[in-house]
Amino acid sequence: MLRRPRRNRKSAVIRDMVQETHITASNLIFPLFIIEGNNLKTEVASMPGIYRYTIDNLLREVEQCMELGLRAFDLFPNIDESLKDKYAAESTREGSLYLRAIAEVKRHFPEACVITDVAMDPYSSDGHDGVVENGEILNDETLVILGQMALAHARAGADIVAPSDMMDGRIGHIRNVLDENGYTNVSLMSYTAKYASAFYGPFRDALNSAPKHGDKKTYQMDPSNQREALIEAALDTQEGADFLMVKPALAYLDVIKLLHDGFDMPIAAYNVSGEYAMIKASARNGWLDERRATMEVLTGIRRAGATAILTYHAKEVLENKWL
Ligand code: PBG
């Protein structure tokens, strides 16, 4: 035998030498949940180790993460039911929980990268990412609200706004609104190929944001479709996105690879709540080696072509020195 591939696996030094995929803290984005109140930290039942923080505790959490070298955060608000309405008015109200959280994180940690979620669902009395009328999601009416929301985030200090709604034309619309108001430097991370997935369940528990009726299939993509992601990616690229995101990650590694190979754009992948919950649940039962399973998942997402990984594992992998 002339070729014996096992020679390159014979020692740790050689294996490390030929290692193709590396993950560093710079590749990781940590999603954080926020709630109203003082000095609270409530665990999400379906996401062991993940908490909703009041702003004071959020700042402590961000500080700890920064010390670990984790510098990018995606913030998500848990909004009291009494503040929700059809048009997500709370999302742009001056002094609202989310806008205060963005401003406070940036005030204390100007060097942190704050990514904000542009979406109606945490604020919507319908639990949808768009305005609902007679059971239909109205696209262009929703764009107006998303534009105002993104602008409010930019004013509060967001470095990157990330629309997660899947309305048509929202990247172009938001880019225009930001530019017209002088926020040409605020980046857009588009949820380009966001699928109608069962794996968002624990996230909706965290924010109490599940749809009150119907599902999200008229705007989120069908899990069967790969080529449709190319249409979304082409539009987002033309409309001015700075990052293309695929979500969820694990069941969609082919889509990550497709966008990575097809577009000269940084690719982000969202390792979502249900993917995190699966590992935690099996680790708790002793069914999987948690460290190895977690690192294998993150490595697979990175190998498929994601440069940025949004993951609830971000802090623990650094704390435990798993990288
Ligand atoms: C909604 C949004 C969702 C997630 C991020 N933004 C859920 C949904 O579309 O219902 C899910 C993230 C996760 O599951 O970790 N705008």
Side-chain angles (χ1 to χ4, degrees):
M1 266 187 277
L2 201 55
R3 302 297 314 261
R4 285 182 181 270
R6 286 187 55 201
R7 277 195 289 265
N8 283 348
R9 299 175 204 139
K10 74 181 170 194
S11 72
V13 177
I14 294 176
R15 285 194 296 274
D16 288 351
M17 199 181 286
V18 300
Q19 184 179 336
E20 297 175 33
T21 305
H22 296 88
I23 302 175
T24 69
S26 316
N27 301 118
L28 304 177
I29 300 171
F30 195 29
L32 289 166
F33 299 125
I34 312 159
I35 46 167
E36 192 62 85
N38 290 308
N39 198 20
L40 292 175
K41 177 180 167 185
T42 63
E43 192 169 35
V44 182
S46 46
M47 303 177 73
I50 295 297
Y51 301 84
R52 308 172 190 88
Y53 297 96
T54 50
I55 292 177
D56 47 3
N57 281 334
L58 172 73
L59 296 173
R60 291 188 191 103
E61 180 66 9
V62 169
E63 182 171 21
Q64 281 180 22
C65 291
M66 298 281 288
E67 280 164 10
L68 293 166
L70 186 53
R71 297 170 300 169
F73 305 93
D74 197 352
L75 307 179
F76 295 95
N78 176 300
I79 302 298
D80 193 86
E81 204 60 38
S82 66
L83 297 172
K84 299 184 184 182
D85 65 22
K86 280 192 90 57
Y87 304 102
E90 175 67 9
S91 66
T92 50
R93 185 179 63 79
E94 195 142 344
S96 69
L97 170 68
Y98 197 57
L99 299 180
R100 270 184 287 131
I102 298 165
E104 284 295 293
V105 173
K106 284 305 289 185
R107 189 163 72 84
H108 286 84
F109 308 100
E111 69 286 18
C113 176
V114 171
I115 302 167
T116 62
D117 188 50
V118 178
M120 289 178 62
D121 56 327
Y123 301 96
S124 154
S125 46
D126 295 301
H128 275 287
D129 296 66
V131 177
V132 184
E133 209 176 273
N134 301 323
E136 266 190 48
I137 308 292
L138 305 183
N139 194 89
D140 299 9
E141 289 74 356
T142 301
L143 294 188
V144 177
I145 296 171
L146 297 175
Q148 291 164 350
M149 208 186 291
L151 181 58
H153 296 176
R155 288 191 170 128
D159 297 283
I160 301 179
V161 297
S164 65
D165 54 285
M166 289 303 280
M167 294 303 119
D168 292 336
R170 88 264 208 223
I171 297 303
H173 179 75
I174 292 172
R175 187 70 271 163
N176 271 335
V177 171
L178 292 176
D179 289 356
E180 278 167 6
N181 286 276
Y183 293 101
T184 50
N185 283 336
V186 171
S187 314
L188 267 167
M189 179 180 281
S190 177
Y191 285 65
T192 297
K194 176 172 179 179
Y195 288 87
S197 172
F199 291 99
Y200 307 149
F203 174 96
R204 293 177 188 173
D205 294 342
L207 298 189
N208 184 27
S209 63
K212 301 285 190 329
H213 42 80
D215 54 38
K216 298 193 174 187
K217 290 182 185 170
T218 69
Y219 46 105
Q220 298 181 349
M221 288 172 54
D222 182 340
S224 311
N225 296 353
Q226 185 195 63
R227 296 169 66 243
E228 192 178 345
L230 294 171
I231 301 175
E232 293 287 356
L235 287 169
D236 283 354
T237 304
Q238 285 160 19
E239 290 177 32
D242 300 289
F243 293 82
L244 305 180
M245 191 202 296
V246 175
K247 173 185 180 184
L250 274 190
Y252 303 90
L253 294 175
D254 58 322
V255 182
I256 296 173
K257 172 81 174 144
L258 185 72
L259 296 197
H260 173 271
D261 291 352
F263 293 85
D264 295 331
M265 297 275 286
I267 306 298
Y270 202 139
N271 175 215
V272 300
S273 57
E275 299 174 328
Y276 175 86
M278 285 197 296
I279 290 198
K280 288 291 161 186
S282 35
R284 287 198 156 188
N285 278 300
W287 294 342
L288 278 180
D289 177 324
E290 185 171 4
R291 173 185 184 159
R292 292 186 53 212
T294 302
M295 289 314 300
E296 192 171 328
V297 161
L298 296 178
T299 301
I301 296 168
R302 181 105 178 82
R303 192 189 63 239
T307 178
I309 306 175
L310 297 99
T311 179
Y312 302 96
H313 296 290
K315 187 184 180 194
E316 68 180 1
V317 301
L318 294 168
E319 248 178 344
N320 298 325
K321 303 201 185 333
W322 287 351
L323 289 189

